[in-house]
Amino acid sequence: METRQRLPAAERRESILAAATVVFGERGYAGATTDQIAIAAGISQAYVVRTFGSKETLFVEVARRAVGRIEAAFRAAIAADDGRPVAQRLGAAYIDLVADRGILLSLLHLFSLGSDTAIGRTGREGFLTIYRLVRDEAGLAPDEASHFLAEGMLINTVLALRLQDADEPDAVELVTHACGGDLRKFRELAAD
Amino acid sequence: METRQRLPAAERRESILAAATVVFGERGYAGATTDQIAIAAGISQAYVVRTFGSKETLFVEVARRAVGRIEAAFRAAIAADDGRPVAQRLGAAYIDLVADRGILLSLLHLFSLGSDTAIGRTGREGFLTIYRLVRDEAGLAPDEASHFLAEGMLINTVLALRLQDADEPDAVELVTHACGGDLRKFRELAAD
DNA sequence: GTCTATAGTTCGATAGAC
DNA sequence: GTCTATCGAACTATAGAC
């Protein structure tokens, strides 16, 4: 019988959110179970549910946290002016961020559940938040911002499908263009 | 007690696939139930499972059918040369096609389940098929083809989130740029 | 070709102890 | 703050009749 560590509420919340991000990412919202999340977090299933009230609430918080990560990464990239155009800095920051496959995939699931009342609202808010950030804070014109998001959505898809690990030359070619030529960076992403 | 219609196997398969496309689209692979699909198709749950062997097989066939629809629409657009650049014709064909929200969403769910063995393989095959089609048959250069897919992925996300129905001016602006200026066409898409 | 019935699982959530 | 135990609901798949 292992001794389970007693943590302050805030830390426990964060550790559950981190575990849930991975599990929701791999299995989707409905496909993930609170028991799998509990195991990943090293606690009991009942405690996961009790901490967030319901599986849906937990998913919404996972999604909000992922959006928050993007905001933080983008703000840092905007501030760290190294002479490159801001769009390039944002792109690099994005690729660094989605090295965390869980964040990427959780967002993808969030976006594809737009018809669900609570989840859909969270998705719309999150997506618009990112759009406003790259437009207003990074200073991209609306068409540049839209184009930037489009490239990001292709990166999401390519990574979600694990095309960066595929052997076919066409996959390599597509991935290379999707990431703006820096295939190496994609390949480094752990295949978990 | 209603009298259920007896259909030839091929027609029944197609009617189940159509119903399943809608249900899988709205709820995702794991979130959809064979019972909901059965109700949508007007038959019994057991018959849905019996016809396709398993829920997973059914989903894979739904996804293949959706990819097939895109292939057919793109080939038609390539053949119907009306003077516009081929990328523009493909884009218009794509928007017409994803007016069927079920197809759009089923593909989105397919792409986000790349870690699943069978579903992931189907997703990679499907995505590469589309890439090769726009590159080899439409004749786009690799970077043009990649850019075309990126714009398509943004359209997917915007529609999945139902941003075309949102009131906020920022949503309107984003959707306008995502669809290349033709907001009206997006707005026409039934809000179901 | 299609149904009813149901077996066998699995899951989210709650109760209550420590 | 965290666990064990468990209820009740829901789901996929199978069996077997028509």
Side-chain angles (χ1 to χ4, degrees), chain B residues 29-73:
Chain B
Y29 167 60
T33 72
T34 53
D35 195 46
Q36 292 160 350
I37 293 168
I39 292 172
I43 57 177
S44 72
Q45 180 265 338
Y47 191 22
V48 169
V49 174
R50 153 129 350 171
T51 304
F52 289 88
S54 74
K55 179 182 168 179
E56 184 176 74
T57 305
L58 173 55
F59 182 74
V60 167
E61 301 239 2
V62 162
R64 290 218 180 100
R65 176 176 172 274
V67 171
R69 288 286 179 89
I70 294 188
E71 291 184 77

Side-chain angles (χ1 to χ4, degrees), chain B residues 51-129:
Chain B
T51 304
F52 289 88
S54 74
K55 179 182 168 179
E56 184 176 74
T57 305
L58 173 55
F59 182 74
V60 167
E61 301 239 2
V62 162
R64 290 218 180 100
R65 176 176 172 274
V67 171
R69 288 286 179 89
I70 294 188
E71 291 184 77
F74 280 5
R75 292 218 167 87
I78 292 168
D81 189 342
D82 59 3
R84 288 183 300 169
V86 67
Q88 237 176 75
R89 275 141 51 205
L90 290 175
Y94 188 65
I95 291 190
D96 283 345
L97 187 72
V98 295
D100 184 335
R101 184 170 167 84
I103 291 190
L104 162 87
L105 290 176
S106 292
L107 286 175
L108 220 44
H109 292 299
L110 173 71
F111 295 156
S112 47
L113 292 176
S115 297
D116 180 284
T117 314
I119 297 178
R121 173 152 26 82
T122 307
R124 286 183 286 277
E125 287 172 359
F127 200 72
L128 282 179
T129 296

Side-chain angles (χ1 to χ4, degrees), chain A residues 94-109:
Chain A
Y94 188 64
I95 291 191
D96 283 346
L97 186 73
V98 295
D100 183 334
R101 184 171 167 82
I103 291 190
L104 162 87
L105 290 176
S106 292
L107 286 175
L108 220 43
H109 292 299

Side-chain angles (χ1 to χ4, degrees), chain A residues 48-70:
Chain A
V48 169
V49 173
R50 156 138 334 182
T51 304
F52 289 89
S54 73
K55 180 182 170 181
E56 185 176 73
T57 304
L58 173 56
F59 182 74
V60 167
E61 302 238 4
V62 162
R64 290 218 180 100
R65 175 174 172 275
V67 171
R69 288 285 179 91
I70 294 188

